[in-house]
Amino acid sequence: MKSNVTTIQQKEPLILSVDTSCDETSVAVLQGRRVLANVVSSQTELHKKWGGIVPHVARRAHEENLPKAYAEALKKAGIEDIKGVDALAVTKGPGLAVDLEVGIDFIKNLAIKNEIDLIEVNHMEGHFLSSLALNSEGKGQVEDFNDDEMFPAFGLLVSGKHTEIVYADKIGSYRKLGWTVDDAAGEVFDKFGRMMGFGYPAGPVVSEFAKKGSPNELIQLPIPLEKSKDFNFSYSGLKTAALYRLQELRDAGMNDREFVNDFCYAFVQVIVDSILNKLEKAIQEYPEIKSVFAGGGVFKNEKLSKSVSALVRSYGLHFNLPETKYRTDNAVMIGIAAHYKFQRGEILTTDEEKSTLDRNPRLAIDSAG
Ligand code: KG4
Ligand code: ZN
């Protein structure tokens, strides 16, 4: 019996994946859903100086870091010859054009030179499936994964550039139900944090201060699109409302530590409430849903992950939350999405197919490519 299990695992495809869509240079090696190597080279320190991500600065860092991250991932996974992998995977989009290009060119050349199959991956599908990653021993958030038990499902994707509710009949078949009509939730975390004077990256600092805050009746912020019947989000009005209120209260002399904590608390609460509001509406409108998959960097905020978890479970649904390290950008999630594309045969095999692979900075999760 035991040897049988081993045989099945050995047959699972070995895939090396790369993500350079934004400011992390990341390379992973997966066998099936099991992560054998996960290398993430962050550029946070580099971008601090500019107060944000400068695409060309990020590109140079990707060019420098990618060969090193690749070598390290091979070493960690114990791969001596790249020809031993079954496929190479790379993010096609969405992301920053000049940055996506670095990963795509690198993987394309590798695939053509070594005659290895190539898989193009949508970064948002990666976030959607990121909770399915297992460690090398097969342990993880969702160990026994069963399509019938989990689908149809929602993906709730909350990142620096996206805030989306996605309907999935099954893995690989997606339809966006709601999205942000202006700024994304992560983007306003960062902008609000900058307004508060937190420097870069400001989003995680907002979460830290908010933990120490409490409700303060002087700080009332509007829940965006609270009454609208659709599943969309909007955060630019919240940003402006927060800015005005902050200025008023600062002019009135409020600026101590407690005030800062309370302001962050109020801001986080409104973001969480707006997401819960739309998610609950969507769950009620689609009663056939069996699970919700969370993805994206903003789920590092504990209040968001815990509140969404409580809401989803109160409807008797499964809640699939990625491990903390797989919430922000990483190549493991690209490897997971590639694993399912490999199973479906969505692979580029000829030199011609491989060489025409190009970045699509605005690629949507429900577009053909
Ligand atoms: O998913 P991600 O790594 O990148 C995109 O694909 O956009 O998400 C990055 C976003 C940033 O806006 C960042 O501020 C936010 O995730 N983020 C957080 C936290 N950690 C990262 N937001 C709130 N609380 C955190 N702890
Ligand atoms: Zn991302």
Side-chain angles (χ1 to χ4, degrees):
M1 194 64 197
K2 192 159 191 286
S3 65
N4 218 351
V5 171
T6 317
T7 327
I8 291 165
Q9 285 187 346
Q10 276 168 353
K11 276 192 188 149
E12 290 203 292
L14 190 62
I15 297 180
L16 180 133
S17 53
V18 163
D19 184 87
T20 60
S21 61
C22 194
D23 61 339
E24 323 274 8
T25 314
S26 179
V27 182
V29 178
L30 278 84
Q31 181 140 44
R33 294 200 281 137
R34 289 183 302 131
V35 179
L36 306 187
N38 170 31
V39 180
V40 182
S41 167
S42 170
Q43 301 175 8
T44 305
E45 283 306 313
L46 183 67
H47 297 298
K48 238 178 204 163
K49 172 162 118 195
W50 309 96
I53 300 161
V54 183
H56 282 89
V57 174
R59 180 188 175 101
R60 270 198 300 280
H62 285 310
E63 283 169 345
E64 204 185 306
N65 295 338
L66 185 52
K68 294 183 208 159
Y70 169 70
E72 196 185 329
L74 287 184
K75 196 167 164 216
K76 279 193 174 154
I79 296 171
E80 279 163 20
D81 182 356
I82 188 65
K83 289 199 170 81
V85 305
D86 295 295
L88 297 166
V90 67
T91 305
K92 176 186 172 76
L96 302 166
V98 294
D99 300 306
L100 288 163
E101 277 166 15
V102 179
I104 290 176
D105 288 347
F106 184 88
I107 284 296
K108 234 156 84 166
N109 289 338
L110 209 57
I112 293 171
K113 194 168 142 220
N114 296 286
E115 297 180 351
I116 306 171
D117 290 345
L118 179 52
I119 302 173
E120 53 180 47
V121 174
N122 183 311
H123 182 85
M124 298 316 291
E125 183 177 16
H127 276 303
F128 191 130
L129 301 176
S130 55
S131 55
L132 298 183
L134 300 176
N135 71 12
S136 57
E137 268 94 53
K139 299 261 171 279
Q141 302 293 89
V142 190
E143 287 172 19
D144 300 314
F145 175 65
N146 175 332
D147 275 8
D148 291 339
E149 213 177 284
M150 292 287 182
F151 287 89
F154 281 158
L156 179 62
L157 312 179
V158 191
S159 72
K161 283 275 170 283
H162 294 79
T163 314
E164 293 177 352
I165 300 178
V166 179
Y167 185 105
D169 300 304
K170 56 181 187 218
I171 293 182
S173 169
Y174 308 103
R175 180 164 58 92
K176 271 202 284 181
L177 294 184
W179 52 86
T180 176
V181 295
D182 41 51
D183 291 357
E187 195 176 348
V188 283
F189 257 94
D190 296 328
K191 287 180 178 166
F192 171 74
R194 232 173 293 154
M195 250 156 61
M196 298 293 283
F198 298 158
Y200 173 87
V205 183
V206 173
S207 290
E208 281 311 305
F209 281 103
K211 273 194 220 163
K212 294 177 225 139
S214 47
N216 178 332
E217 62 181 21
L218 288 175
I219 311 164
Q220 305 281 351
L221 300 170
I223 299 175
L225 301 186
E226 190 181 9
K227 300 272 182 299
S228 79
K229 290 215 160 45
D230 58 27
F231 306 118
N232 288 340
F233 304 91
S234 161
Y235 293 109
S236 97
L238 169 64
K239 188 179 64 193
T240 315
L243 178 63
Y244 285 137
R245 193 69 189 130
L246 181 65
Q247 270 169 357
E248 272 169 14
L249 294 173
R250 275 185 176 162
D251 289 348
M254 299 181 72
N255 209 11
D256 60 7
R257 179 57 67 93
E258 205 178 318
F259 168 74
V260 170
N261 292 344
D262 290 353
F263 213 108
C264 290
Y265 177 95
F267 173 83
V268 168
Q269 190 63 55
V270 163
I271 299 257
V272 170
D273 285 345
S274 72
I275 291 172
L276 293 178
N277 173 25
K278 292 306 170 98
L279 180 64
E280 183 159 24
K281 275 195 179 121
I283 291 174
Q284 287 171 351
E285 184 141 336
Y286 295 88
E288 71 274 25
I289 290 299
K290 294 180 182 156
S291 67
V292 174
F293 287 69
V298 184
F299 275 102
K300 282 199 169 170
N301 179 288
E302 234 175 80
K303 182 171 260 179
L304 178 66
S305 52
K306 286 195 169 145
S307 313
V308 172
S309 169
L311 174 73
V312 171
R313 290 179 209 272
S314 77
Y315 278 86
L317 310 179
H318 297 280
F319 182 56
N320 300 330
L321 178 69
E323 269 176 66
T324 317
K325 63 182 173 213
Y326 300 139
R327 294 179 199 168
T328 37
D329 289 349
N330 64 85
V332 165
M333 66 189 202
I334 303 305
I336 296 279
H339 167 67
Y340 290 102
K341 291 192 96 171
F342 188 90
Q343 284 187 344
R344 298 197 298 272
E346 292 175 26
I347 302 168
L348 309 178
T349 51
T350 66
D351 283 0
E352 200 188 342
E353 283 171 338
K354 291 175 194 171
S355 58
T356 51
L357 169 61
D358 197 7
R359 86 274 192 289
N360 182 348
R362 300 178 64 81
L363 186 65
I365 194 166
D366 49 4
S367 75

